[in-house]
Amino acid sequence: AQKVTQAQTEISVVEKEDVTLDCVYETRDTTYYLFWYKQPPSGELVFLIRRNSFDEQNEISGRYSWNFQKSTSSFNFTITASQVVDSAVYFCALSEAGSNDYKLSFGAGTTVTVRA
Amino acid sequence: GAGVSQSPSNKVTEKGKDVELRCDPISGHTALYWYRQSLGQGLEFLIYFQGNSAPDKSGLPSDRFSAERTGGSVSTLTIQRTQQEDSAVYLCASSLNRGNEKLFFGSGTQLSVL
């Protein structure tokens, strides 16, 4: 069963537009962690954020912000005033508590293209 | 360098041949992971090493796949008798400790089986 769903396969925007990436997850655990990773063309995934299930505060880091809503099992990611350097594949991932907490379940990824 | 290093970056092989993929994690990181990324899909967990503990091999897709980690550092993923469906990017990652921590990924090995 798919634990993490990223419904948007590709998004294309013009520079300076905002872009929101959707992530819906599925788990029966009450303790879990959610992640976002960025994969630029170089191929190396870069960690962006980790959020635990007990912290529903939204987070902002520069032009990036995250909206965690347990009621809808969503952890959406917004890039404000996008730039060409934001072009990449973005992955949402889930880690469930327990002895296998090191296993990340990744979504299929959303390819973001920012055009100048 | 200071990051996770993988080699080769690209590997083209013929069906039926064996291949070895290498991962050199960040020094001091006790946890090492292998993931597989197929075209248009997310990352698929393959195997996890933590210190001197027995690895979690539950994600290996068949007995043609095996992995070792020598001296708690470098890891080698071996695929025997490669098949075309093995074509993918193989990503290695490491983290400081076990668990659901920030992972540091290498750039991957693009494997193409002809």
Side-chain angles (χ1 to χ4, degrees):
Chain A
Q2 188 76 4
K3 292 186 178 182
V4 178
T5 302
Q6 294 181 254
Q8 304 145 309
T9 306
E10 295 184 31
I11 300 177
S12 181
V13 297
V14 176
E15 216 172 11
K16 297 184 184 176
E17 286 185 355
D18 297 349
V19 56
T20 295
L21 311 181
D22 298 334
C23 173
V24 174
Y25 61 92
E26 193 179 317
T27 180
R28 294 181 182 176
D29 288 358
T30 55
T31 303
Y32 52 89
Y33 295 82
L34 295 163
F35 300 78
W36 277 94
Y37 281 86
K38 173 183 179 180
Q39 186 180 37
S42 63
E44 189 174 313
L45 274 82
V46 176
F47 169 88
L48 295 179
I49 190 170
R50 182 185 87 151
R51 174 53 51 86
N52 76 58
S53 53
F54 297 107
D55 182 3
E56 286 194 74
Q57 268 196 320
N58 290 331
E59 180 150 344
I60 298 174
S61 175
R63 295 183 297 104
Y64 295 169
S65 61
W66 291 269
N67 183 359
F68 178 28
Q69 302 228 342
K70 286 178 79 170
S71 59
T72 55
S73 297
S74 65
F75 187 44
N76 296 340
F77 170 37
T78 297
I79 303 172
T80 301
S82 60
Q83 300 176 3
V84 172
V85 293
D86 296 327
S87 297
V89 183
Y90 292 85
F91 291 97
C92 180
L94 166 72
S95 164
E96 294 169 300
S99 58
N100 291 339
D101 61 356
Y102 49 82
K103 283 186 185 178
L104 289 182
S105 296
F106 283 85
T110 298
T111 300
V112 173
T113 303
V114 181
R115 308 186 309 277
Chain B
V4 176
S5 177
Q6 290 189 247
S7 62
S9 54
N10 276 285
K11 177 71 177 179
V12 180
T13 190
E14 292 178 354
K15 178 181 170 182
K17 301 279 191 184
D18 298 352
V19 295
E20 279 190 358
L21 312 180
R22 176 189 167 104
C23 173
D24 203 340
I26 292 174
S27 177
H29 280 194
T30 62
L32 186 147
Y33 315 71
W34 283 96
Y35 281 86
R36 180 167 71 175
Q37 182 177 18
S38 302
L39 193 63
Q41 297 185 23
L43 279 69
E44 172 191 6
F45 169 82
L46 296 179
I47 188 168
Y48 166 73
F49 295 91
Q50 171 57 38
N52 295 320
S53 303
D56 177 352
K57 304 180 180 181
S58 61
L60 296 178
S62 78
D63 58 8
R64 296 186 295 104
F65 287 72
S66 62
E68 290 185 344
R69 187 178 185 192
T70 54
S73 181
V74 172
S75 176
T76 302
L77 177 68
T78 302
I79 308 173
Q80 296 179 311
R81 304 181 302 283
T82 52
Q83 303 295 313
Q84 288 186 331
E85 60 263 28
D86 299 334
S87 297
V89 176
Y90 290 83
L91 290 162
C92 176
S94 69
S95 64
L96 189 58
N97 296 302
R98 70 153 288 142
N100 43 44
E101 293 188 352
K102 172 181 178 179
L103 299 186
F104 294 81
F105 281 85
S107 297
T109 294
Q110 171 73 64
L111 175 65
S112 300
V113 182
L114 304 179

